[in-house]
Amino acid sequence: MRRAVLSTIVSVCAVMLTVQAQQPQTVLQGVYAENQARRGQTIYKAQCALCHGEMLEGRLGPPLTGDEFVSDFAKQPLSELFGKIRNTMPQDNPGKLTPEETADILAYILQAGKFPAGRAELRADEAALKQITWPANAAQPKTASTPSPASSFPPAGNLAQVMRGILFPNSNIIFTVQTHDPAEKRTTPEGAALAGGFNWTIWGSDIYSGWDLVDYAAVALAESAPLMLTPGRRCENGKPVPVNDPEWLKFTEELAEAGRAAYKASQTRNQETVSDISGVIAEACLHCHQVYRDKPGRGRDPVDPSNRANRCTK
Ligand code: HEC
Ligand code: HEC
Protein backbone atom coordinates (compact mmCIF):
# COMPACT_ATOMS: atom_id res chain seq x y z
CA MET A 1 0.00 0.00 0.00
CA ARG A 2 2.68 2.44 1.11
CA ARG A 3 4.79 1.52 -1.89
CA ALA A 4 1.95 2.35 -4.23
CA VAL A 5 1.49 5.77 -2.64
CA LEU A 6 5.21 6.47 -2.78
CA SER A 7 5.53 5.51 -6.40
CA THR A 8 2.53 7.69 -7.22
CA ILE A 9 4.26 10.65 -5.60
CA VAL A 10 7.44 9.90 -7.48
CA SER A 11 5.68 9.64 -10.80
CA VAL A 12 3.68 12.83 -10.18
CA CYS A 13 6.97 14.66 -9.59
CA ALA A 14 8.39 13.17 -12.76
CA VAL A 15 5.36 14.34 -14.71
CA MET A 16 5.68 17.88 -13.33
CA LEU A 17 9.33 18.00 -14.29
CA THR A 18 8.52 16.87 -17.79
CA VAL A 19 5.81 19.48 -18.22
CA GLN A 20 8.24 22.18 -17.21
CA ALA A 21 10.94 20.90 -19.50
CA GLN A 22 8.63 20.51 -22.47
CA GLN A 23 7.70 23.52 -24.58
CA PRO A 24 4.56 23.47 -26.71
CA GLN A 25 5.48 22.34 -30.21
CA THR A 26 3.82 21.31 -33.44
CA VAL A 27 4.68 18.24 -35.47
CA LEU A 28 6.33 20.55 -38.03
CA GLN A 29 9.16 21.22 -35.59
CA GLY A 30 11.05 17.93 -35.76
CA VAL A 31 9.54 16.10 -32.82
CA TYR A 32 11.02 12.65 -33.58
CA ALA A 33 14.40 11.28 -34.66
CA GLU A 34 15.26 9.59 -37.94
CA ASN A 35 16.57 6.35 -36.41
CA GLN A 36 13.50 6.14 -34.18
CA ALA A 37 11.27 6.20 -37.26
CA ARG A 38 13.40 3.37 -38.68
CA ARG A 39 12.75 1.27 -35.56
CA GLY A 40 9.08 2.17 -35.84
CA GLN A 41 8.99 1.01 -39.43
CA THR A 42 10.24 -2.44 -38.41
CA ILE A 43 7.53 -2.80 -35.78
CA TYR A 44 4.96 -1.43 -38.19
CA LYS A 45 5.84 -3.98 -40.87
CA ALA A 46 5.55 -6.82 -38.40
CA GLN A 47 2.41 -5.80 -36.54
CA CYS A 48 0.39 -3.28 -38.51
CA ALA A 49 1.07 -3.60 -42.24
CA LEU A 50 -1.22 -6.59 -42.67
CA CYS A 51 -4.24 -4.45 -41.86
CA HIS A 52 -3.07 -0.92 -42.68
CA GLY A 53 -1.04 -1.72 -45.80
CA GLU A 54 2.70 -1.78 -46.55
CA MET A 55 2.60 1.92 -47.48
CA LEU A 56 0.08 2.85 -44.74
CA GLU A 57 -2.45 3.17 -47.55
CA GLY A 58 -5.20 1.23 -45.74
CA ARG A 59 -6.39 -2.30 -46.22
CA LEU A 60 -8.61 -4.02 -43.66
CA GLY A 61 -8.09 -0.96 -41.48
CA PRO A 62 -8.09 2.70 -42.53
CA PRO A 63 -5.08 4.50 -44.05
CA LEU A 64 -2.58 5.93 -41.56
CA THR A 65 -1.44 8.67 -43.89
CA GLY A 66 -3.09 11.37 -46.00
CA ASP A 67 -5.37 14.33 -45.33
CA GLU A 68 -8.34 12.30 -44.07
CA PHE A 69 -6.25 10.53 -41.48
CA VAL A 70 -4.38 13.60 -40.33
CA SER A 71 -7.49 15.76 -40.09
CA ASP A 72 -9.12 13.12 -37.86
CA PHE A 73 -6.41 13.43 -35.26
CA ALA A 74 -5.22 16.98 -35.83
CA LYS A 75 -7.95 18.46 -33.67
CA GLN A 76 -6.26 17.00 -30.59
CA PRO A 77 -2.71 16.79 -29.26
CA LEU A 78 -0.45 13.96 -30.37
CA SER A 79 -1.18 12.11 -27.11
CA GLU A 80 -4.57 11.12 -28.57
CA LEU A 81 -3.07 9.28 -31.50
CA PHE A 82 -0.55 7.70 -29.15
CA GLY A 83 -3.36 6.51 -26.87
CA LYS A 84 -5.41 5.16 -29.77
CA ILE A 85 -2.50 2.99 -30.88
CA ARG A 86 -1.32 1.98 -27.44
CA ASN A 87 -4.78 1.07 -26.12
CA THR A 88 -6.53 -0.43 -29.13
CA MET A 89 -3.95 -1.65 -31.64
CA PRO A 90 -3.05 -4.10 -33.12
CA GLN A 91 -6.78 -4.63 -33.29
CA ASP A 92 -6.44 -8.41 -33.06
CA ASN A 93 -4.10 -8.27 -30.06
CA PRO A 94 -4.34 -4.89 -28.35
CA GLY A 95 -2.41 -3.75 -25.31
CA LYS A 96 0.84 -5.56 -26.02
CA LEU A 97 2.83 -2.65 -27.48
CA THR A 98 5.12 -0.98 -24.94
CA PRO A 99 4.93 2.81 -24.66
CA GLU A 100 8.36 3.03 -26.34
CA GLU A 101 7.30 0.85 -29.26
CA THR A 102 4.18 2.96 -29.62
CA ALA A 103 6.29 6.15 -29.76
CA ASP A 104 8.55 4.53 -32.39
CA ILE A 105 5.57 3.64 -34.57
CA LEU A 106 4.22 7.16 -34.12
CA ALA A 107 7.57 8.52 -35.30
CA TYR A 108 7.30 6.34 -38.39
CA ILE A 109 3.73 7.51 -39.06
CA LEU A 110 4.89 11.14 -38.80
CA GLN A 111 7.78 10.46 -41.14
CA ALA A 112 5.45 8.80 -43.66
CA GLY A 113 3.21 11.88 -43.38
CA LYS A 114 6.20 14.03 -44.45
CA PHE A 115 6.55 15.74 -41.09
CA PRO A 116 10.24 16.53 -40.60
CA ALA A 117 12.58 14.63 -38.28
CA GLY A 118 14.59 16.43 -35.60
CA ARG A 119 17.39 15.54 -33.23
CA ALA A 120 15.58 14.29 -30.16
CA GLU A 121 13.43 11.20 -30.06
CA LEU A 122 9.71 11.40 -29.50
CA ARG A 123 9.20 10.44 -25.89
CA ALA A 124 6.68 7.89 -24.70
CA ASP A 125 5.39 10.30 -22.13
CA GLU A 126 1.77 11.36 -21.92
CA ALA A 127 2.48 14.87 -20.59
CA ALA A 128 5.15 15.54 -23.20
CA LEU A 129 2.91 14.25 -26.00
CA LYS A 130 0.11 16.51 -24.78
CA GLN A 131 2.37 19.49 -25.54
CA ILE A 132 2.70 18.51 -29.18
CA THR A 133 -0.07 19.66 -31.51
CA TRP A 134 -0.65 19.83 -35.25
CA PRO A 135 -0.47 22.88 -37.50
CA ALA A 136 -3.81 24.71 -37.49
CA ASN A 137 -4.67 23.94 -41.13
CA ALA A 138 -4.14 20.18 -40.68
CA ALA A 139 -7.53 19.82 -38.96
CA GLN A 140 -9.33 20.74 -42.21
CA PRO A 141 -9.76 17.89 -44.66
CA LYS A 142 -8.82 19.24 -48.09
CA THR A 143 -11.99 17.73 -49.50
CA ALA A 144 -14.34 19.50 -47.06
CA SER A 145 -17.91 19.44 -48.35
CA THR A 146 -20.24 22.40 -48.16
CA PRO A 147 -21.55 22.86 -44.63
CA SER A 148 -25.06 21.57 -43.97
CA PRO A 149 -26.97 21.20 -40.68
CA ALA A 150 -25.97 17.52 -40.75
CA SER A 151 -22.28 18.40 -40.66
CA SER A 152 -22.75 19.73 -37.12
CA PHE A 153 -23.28 16.09 -36.16
CA PRO A 154 -20.20 14.38 -37.49
CA PRO A 155 -20.08 10.58 -37.26
CA ALA A 156 -18.89 9.24 -33.92
CA GLY A 157 -17.79 5.91 -35.34
CA ASN A 158 -17.30 3.88 -38.50
CA LEU A 159 -20.07 1.98 -40.24
CA ALA A 160 -19.16 -1.39 -38.70
CA GLN A 161 -19.46 0.14 -35.23
CA VAL A 162 -22.92 1.51 -36.07
CA MET A 163 -23.90 -1.94 -37.36
CA ARG A 164 -22.61 -3.75 -34.29
CA GLY A 165 -23.90 -1.18 -31.82
CA ILE A 166 -27.38 -0.49 -33.20
CA LEU A 167 -28.48 -2.80 -35.99
CA PHE A 168 -27.11 -6.06 -34.63
CA PRO A 169 -28.58 -6.00 -31.10
CA ASN A 170 -31.91 -4.55 -32.20
CA SER A 171 -32.51 -6.99 -35.01
CA ASN A 172 -31.61 -9.80 -32.61
CA ILE A 173 -34.37 -8.68 -30.26
CA ILE A 174 -36.85 -8.97 -33.10
CA PHE A 175 -35.44 -12.32 -34.30
CA THR A 176 -35.79 -13.71 -30.76
CA VAL A 177 -39.56 -13.30 -31.01
CA GLN A 178 -39.49 -16.34 -33.31
CA THR A 179 -38.61 -18.54 -30.35
CA HIS A 180 -39.80 -16.55 -27.34
CA ASP A 181 -43.12 -14.94 -26.63
CA PRO A 182 -42.36 -11.41 -25.41
CA ALA A 183 -45.35 -11.70 -23.08
CA GLU A 184 -43.93 -14.74 -21.26
CA LYS A 185 -42.62 -14.38 -17.74
CA ARG A 186 -38.93 -13.57 -17.44
CA THR A 187 -36.66 -16.48 -16.73
CA THR A 188 -33.60 -14.51 -15.68
CA PRO A 189 -34.20 -12.43 -12.58
CA GLU A 190 -31.62 -9.75 -11.89
CA GLY A 191 -30.08 -11.76 -9.02
CA ALA A 192 -29.31 -14.76 -11.22
CA ALA A 193 -27.60 -12.58 -13.80
CA LEU A 194 -25.44 -11.02 -11.11
CA ALA A 195 -24.41 -14.39 -9.69
CA GLY A 196 -22.59 -15.11 -12.93
CA GLY A 197 -20.90 -11.70 -12.96
CA PHE A 198 -22.12 -8.44 -14.42
CA ASN A 199 -24.23 -9.10 -17.47
CA TRP A 200 -23.99 -6.21 -19.91
CA THR A 201 -26.84 -7.30 -22.10
CA ILE A 202 -29.33 -8.29 -19.43
CA TRP A 203 -28.72 -5.28 -17.21
CA GLY A 204 -31.69 -2.94 -17.25
CA SER A 205 -33.71 -5.23 -19.45
CA ASP A 206 -36.48 -5.58 -16.86
CA ILE A 207 -37.34 -1.89 -16.93
CA TYR A 208 -39.55 -2.23 -20.00
CA SER A 209 -41.90 -5.06 -20.82
CA GLY A 210 -40.97 -7.68 -23.43
CA TRP A 211 -43.32 -6.24 -26.01
CA ASP A 212 -42.10 -2.72 -25.32
CA LEU A 213 -38.57 -3.87 -26.08
CA VAL A 214 -39.69 -5.28 -29.42
CA ASP A 215 -41.35 -1.94 -30.23
CA TYR A 216 -38.18 -0.05 -29.41
CA ALA A 217 -35.99 -2.39 -31.39
CA ALA A 218 -38.20 -1.89 -34.44
CA VAL A 219 -38.12 1.89 -34.01
CA ALA A 220 -34.35 1.80 -33.55
CA LEU A 221 -33.94 -0.08 -36.85
CA ALA A 222 -36.20 2.29 -38.78
CA GLU A 223 -34.50 5.33 -37.26
CA SER A 224 -31.04 3.96 -37.93
CA ALA A 225 -31.58 4.22 -41.69
CA PRO A 226 -30.46 7.89 -41.99
CA LEU A 227 -27.26 6.91 -40.19
CA MET A 228 -26.38 4.95 -43.33
CA LEU A 229 -26.23 8.32 -45.09
CA THR A 230 -24.27 10.41 -42.57
CA PRO A 231 -21.84 12.54 -44.59
CA GLY A 232 -18.20 11.81 -43.89
CA ARG A 233 -18.70 8.35 -42.36
CA ARG A 234 -16.12 5.80 -43.30
CA CYS A 235 -16.12 2.03 -43.23
CA GLU A 236 -13.77 0.10 -41.00
CA ASN A 237 -11.27 -0.16 -43.85
CA GLY A 238 -11.25 3.62 -44.30
CA LYS A 239 -13.29 3.66 -47.50
CA PRO A 240 -16.05 6.26 -47.51
CA VAL A 241 -19.58 4.93 -47.07
CA PRO A 242 -21.04 5.15 -50.60
CA VAL A 243 -23.77 7.60 -49.54
CA ASN A 244 -24.30 8.96 -53.04
CA ASP A 245 -24.69 5.58 -54.69
CA PRO A 246 -28.34 5.11 -55.82
CA GLU A 247 -28.21 1.41 -54.94
CA TRP A 248 -26.99 2.22 -51.44
CA LEU A 249 -29.89 4.64 -51.06
CA LYS A 250 -32.33 1.96 -52.21
CA PHE A 251 -31.07 -0.47 -49.54
CA THR A 252 -31.23 2.27 -46.92
CA GLU A 253 -34.88 2.87 -47.79
CA GLU A 254 -35.52 -0.86 -47.59
CA LEU A 255 -34.08 -0.90 -44.07
CA ALA A 256 -36.30 2.00 -42.98
CA GLU A 257 -39.37 0.30 -44.43
CA ALA A 258 -38.55 -3.01 -42.75
CA GLY A 259 -38.16 -1.24 -39.41
CA ARG A 260 -41.51 0.52 -39.81
CA ALA A 261 -43.18 -2.75 -40.79
CA ALA A 262 -41.70 -4.47 -37.74
CA TYR A 263 -43.06 -1.72 -35.53
CA LYS A 264 -46.53 -2.14 -37.00
CA ALA A 265 -46.29 -5.89 -36.46
CA SER A 266 -45.10 -5.45 -32.89
CA GLN A 267 -48.06 -3.22 -32.17
CA THR A 268 -50.36 -6.19 -32.81
CA ARG A 269 -48.73 -7.92 -29.81
CA ASN A 270 -48.96 -11.09 -31.79
CA GLN A 271 -45.92 -13.35 -31.74
CA GLU A 272 -46.66 -14.92 -35.09
CA THR A 273 -47.09 -11.59 -36.86
CA VAL A 274 -43.69 -10.44 -35.61
CA SER A 275 -42.07 -13.79 -36.42
CA ASP A 276 -43.30 -13.38 -39.98
CA ILE A 277 -41.79 -9.91 -40.25
CA SER A 278 -38.33 -11.08 -39.08
CA GLY A 279 -37.80 -12.42 -42.57
CA VAL A 280 -38.36 -8.95 -44.00
CA ILE A 281 -35.73 -7.50 -41.64
CA ALA A 282 -33.25 -10.25 -42.45
CA GLU A 283 -33.77 -9.67 -46.17
CA ALA A 284 -33.20 -5.93 -45.84
CA CYS A 285 -29.86 -6.61 -44.13
CA LEU A 286 -28.94 -9.34 -46.58
CA HIS A 287 -29.69 -7.37 -49.75
CA CYS A 288 -27.25 -4.62 -48.83
CA HIS A 289 -24.65 -7.00 -47.41
CA GLN A 290 -24.64 -9.07 -50.61
CA VAL A 291 -23.56 -6.04 -52.59
CA TYR A 292 -21.42 -4.04 -50.17
CA ARG A 293 -20.20 -6.34 -47.43
CA ASP A 294 -19.96 -10.02 -48.37
CA LYS A 295 -18.15 -10.43 -51.64
CA PRO A 296 -18.61 -13.84 -53.18
CA GLY A 297 -15.70 -14.70 -55.45
CA ARG A 298 -13.29 -12.37 -53.73
CA GLY A 299 -12.91 -14.68 -50.75
CA ARG A 300 -9.79 -16.27 -52.19
CA ASP A 301 -7.50 -13.53 -50.94
CA PRO A 302 -5.22 -15.57 -48.65
CA VAL A 303 -4.26 -12.52 -46.61
CA ASP A 304 -7.77 -11.30 -46.06
CA PRO A 305 -10.21 -14.22 -46.27
CA SER A 306 -12.79 -12.08 -44.45
CA ASN A 307 -12.84 -9.69 -47.42
CA ARG A 308 -12.87 -6.75 -45.04
CA ALA A 309 -10.47 -4.87 -47.31
CA ASN A 310 -13.07 -4.97 -50.10
CA ARG A 311 -16.08 -3.89 -48.13
CA CYS A 312 -18.06 -0.78 -49.02
CA THR A 313 -17.16 -1.09 -52.69
CA LYS A 314 -19.21 -2.77 -55.38
C1 HEC B 1 -6.27 -6.97 -37.47
C2 HEC B 1 -6.21 -5.72 -38.19
C3 HEC B 1 -5.44 -4.56 -37.60
C4 HEC B 1 -4.13 -4.55 -37.14
C5 HEC B 1 -3.15 -5.71 -37.08
C6 HEC B 1 -3.87 -3.19 -36.76
N1 HEC B 1 -4.97 -2.41 -36.96
FE1 HEC B 1 -5.12 -0.40 -36.61
N2 HEC B 1 -7.09 -0.46 -37.15
C7 HEC B 1 -7.77 -1.57 -37.61
C8 HEC B 1 -9.16 -1.22 -37.84
C9 HEC B 1 -10.24 -2.15 -38.35
C10 HEC B 1 -9.31 0.14 -37.48
C11 HEC B 1 -10.61 0.98 -37.55
C12 HEC B 1 -11.40 0.80 -36.27
C13 HEC B 1 -10.84 1.60 -35.13
O1 HEC B 1 -10.59 2.81 -35.31
O2 HEC B 1 -10.64 1.04 -34.04
C14 HEC B 1 -7.98 0.59 -37.06
C15 HEC B 1 -7.70 1.89 -36.66
C16 HEC B 1 -6.41 2.36 -36.39
C17 HEC B 1 -6.10 3.75 -36.13
C18 HEC B 1 -7.09 4.91 -36.15
C19 HEC B 1 -7.18 5.42 -37.58
C20 HEC B 1 -8.26 6.45 -37.82
O3 HEC B 1 -8.24 7.09 -38.89
O4 HEC B 1 -9.15 6.62 -36.96
C21 HEC B 1 -4.75 3.81 -35.92
C22 HEC B 1 -3.95 5.05 -35.64
C23 HEC B 1 -4.23 2.46 -36.03
N3 HEC B 1 -5.28 1.61 -36.31
C24 HEC B 1 -2.92 2.11 -35.86
C25 HEC B 1 -2.44 0.79 -35.88
C26 HEC B 1 -1.08 0.43 -35.60
C27 HEC B 1 0.03 1.41 -35.29
C28 HEC B 1 -1.01 -0.94 -35.68
C29 HEC B 1 0.18 -1.82 -35.38
C30 HEC B 1 0.74 -1.74 -34.07
C31 HEC B 1 -2.33 -1.42 -36.04
N4 HEC B 1 -3.17 -0.34 -36.15
C32 HEC B 1 -2.64 -2.75 -36.26
C33 HEC B 1 -7.23 -2.82 -37.83
C34 HEC B 1 -5.96 -3.21 -37.48
C1 HEC C 1 -27.35 0.00 -46.70
C2 HEC C 1 -26.50 -1.15 -46.54
C3 HEC C 1 -26.60 -1.99 -45.28
C4 HEC C 1 -27.74 -2.35 -44.60
C5 HEC C 1 -29.19 -2.02 -44.91
C6 HEC C 1 -27.29 -3.16 -43.49
N1 HEC C 1 -25.94 -3.28 -43.49
FE1 HEC C 1 -24.80 -4.20 -42.05
N2 HEC C 1 -23.13 -3.68 -43.06
C7 HEC C 1 -23.08 -2.98 -44.23
C8 HEC C 1 -21.71 -2.77 -44.60
C9 HEC C 1 -21.19 -2.06 -45.84
C10 HEC C 1 -20.92 -3.36 -43.58
C11 HEC C 1 -19.40 -3.31 -43.45
C12 HEC C 1 -19.08 -2.07 -42.64
C13 HEC C 1 -17.63 -1.77 -42.42
O1 HEC C 1 -16.76 -2.57 -42.78
O2 HEC C 1 -17.37 -0.69 -41.84
C14 HEC C 1 -21.86 -3.92 -42.63
C15 HEC C 1 -21.48 -4.58 -41.48
C16 HEC C 1 -22.33 -5.17 -40.59
C17 HEC C 1 -21.94 -5.86 -39.39
C18 HEC C 1 -20.50 -6.06 -38.91
C19 HEC C 1 -19.93 -7.37 -39.38
C20 HEC C 1 -18.57 -7.61 -38.76
O3 HEC C 1 -17.60 -7.68 -39.51
O4 HEC C 1 -18.47 -7.67 -37.53
C21 HEC C 1 -23.07 -6.31 -38.77
C22 HEC C 1 -23.17 -7.09 -37.47
C23 HEC C 1 -24.18 -5.87 -39.58
N3 HEC C 1 -23.70 -5.17 -40.68
C24 HEC C 1 -25.51 -6.11 -39.27
C25 HEC C 1 -26.57 -5.61 -40.01
C26 HEC C 1 -27.94 -5.90 -39.71
C27 HEC C 1 -28.43 -6.78 -38.58
C28 HEC C 1 -28.69 -5.24 -40.64
C29 HEC C 1 -30.18 -5.22 -40.82
C30 HEC C 1 -30.99 -4.88 -39.66
C31 HEC C 1 -27.77 -4.53 -41.52
N4 HEC C 1 -26.49 -4.80 -41.11
C32 HEC C 1 -28.17 -3.74 -42.57
C33 HEC C 1 -24.14 -2.52 -44.96
C34 HEC C 1 -25.47 -2.60 -44.59
Side-chain angles (χ1 to χ4, degrees), residues 242-264:
V243 292
N244 294 317
D245 191 332
E247 208 174 354
W248 182 266
L249 188 62
K250 191 185 81 191
F251 293 137
T252 299
E253 279 162 359
E254 191 182 340
L255 172 67
E257 258 166 51
R260 287 193 296 264
Y263 182 67
K264 226 173 140 204

Side-chain angles (χ1 to χ4, degrees), residues 159-160 163-164 167-168 171 221 235-236 248 251-252 255 281 284-285 288-289 292-293 311-312:
L159 185 66
M163 291 284 160
R164 294 170 192 151
L167 282 79
F168 178 71
S171 50
L221 288 181
C235 294
E236 202 175 34
W248 182 266
F251 293 137
T252 299
L255 172 67
I281 303 268
C285 313
C288 190
H289 288 167
Y292 292 99
R293 191 190 77 173
R311 287 181 175 180
C312 298

Side-chain angles (χ1 to χ4, degrees), residues 4-291:
V5 170
L6 252 180
S7 79
T8 309
I9 292 171
V10 170
S11 62
V12 166
C13 291
V15 168
M16 283 167 55
L17 277 176
T18 330
V19 171
Q20 276 168 2
Q22 183 80 33
Q23 296 297 315
Q25 274 181 302
T26 79
V27 291
L28 289 176
Q29 290 170 285
V31 296
Y32 68 92
E34 193 89 47
N35 63 336
Q36 180 180 28
R38 219 168 298 128
R39 287 201 308 268
Q41 183 176 25
T42 308
I43 308 169
Y44 178 87
K45 289 239 184 287
Q47 301 202 36
C48 321
L50 184 67
C51 291
H52 290 283
E54 286 292 319
M55 309 299 292
L56 296 88
E57 75 278 16
R59 207 178 140 67
L60 283 72
L64 301 183
T65 189
D67 294 342
E68 281 279 348
F69 168 70
V70 170
S71 64
D72 263 8
F73 284 95
K75 298 171 194 99
Q76 299 148 319
L78 200 57
S79 49
E80 288 296 316
L81 181 51
F82 179 88
K84 168 79 193 173
I85 297 172
R86 170 108 163 90
N87 301 335
T88 74
M89 293 293 140
Q91 201 197 35
D92 51 355
N93 192 8
K96 77 169 189 192
L97 290 173
T98 67
E100 289 71 26
E101 286 170 333
T102 308
D104 291 353
I105 296 175
L106 200 45
Y108 173 58
I109 291 176
L110 287 173
Q111 188 186 52
K114 306 251 180 315
F115 296 102
R119 269 189 224 152
E121 294 206 345
L122 185 67
R123 286 160 48 198
D125 176 291
E126 170 90 16
L129 289 165
K130 272 212 167 95
Q131 296 288 308
I132 305 175
T133 53
W134 303 76
N137 63 352
Q140 301 297 326
K142 303 286 186 295
T143 52
S145 48
T146 40
S148 73
S151 27
S152 343
F153 299 96
N158 64 37
L159 185 66
Q161 290 170 324
V162 171
M163 291 284 160
R164 294 170 192 151
I166 303 175
L167 282 79
F168 178 71
N170 285 299
S171 50
N172 284 341
I173 289 176
I174 294 172
F175 296 154
T176 305
V177 177
Q178 293 172 313
T179 50
H180 286 84
D181 180 358
E184 85 197 7
K185 265 201 158 345
R186 285 170 206 280
T187 49
T188 39
E190 185 73 356
L194 284 176
F198 185 75
N199 189 319
W200 297 95
T201 41
I202 289 182
W203 185 86
S205 64
D206 58 347
I207 296 176
Y208 306 108
S209 80
W211 274 116
D212 286 341
L213 290 175
V214 179
D215 281 352
Y216 306 148
V219 169
L221 288 181
E223 300 269 357
S224 73
L227 300 179
M228 305 295 112
L229 304 175
T230 306
R233 191 185 311 283
R234 291 189 282 153
C235 294
E236 202 175 34
N237 57 14
K239 300 210 167 87
V241 175
V243 292
N244 294 317
D245 191 332
E247 208 174 354
W248 182 266
L249 188 62
K250 191 185 81 191
F251 293 137
T252 299
E253 279 162 359
E254 191 182 340
L255 172 67
E257 258 166 51
R260 287 193 296 264
Y263 182 67
K264 226 173 140 204
S266 178
Q267 292 284 290
T268 68
R269 297 301 189 248
N270 181 300
Q271 188 181 5
E272 211 160 310
T273 309
V274 175
S275 297
D276 291 346
I277 215 80
S278 339
V280 175
I281 303 268
E283 292 271 296
C285 313
L286 180 74
H287 289 160
C288 190
H289 288 167
Q290 276 174 336
V291 177

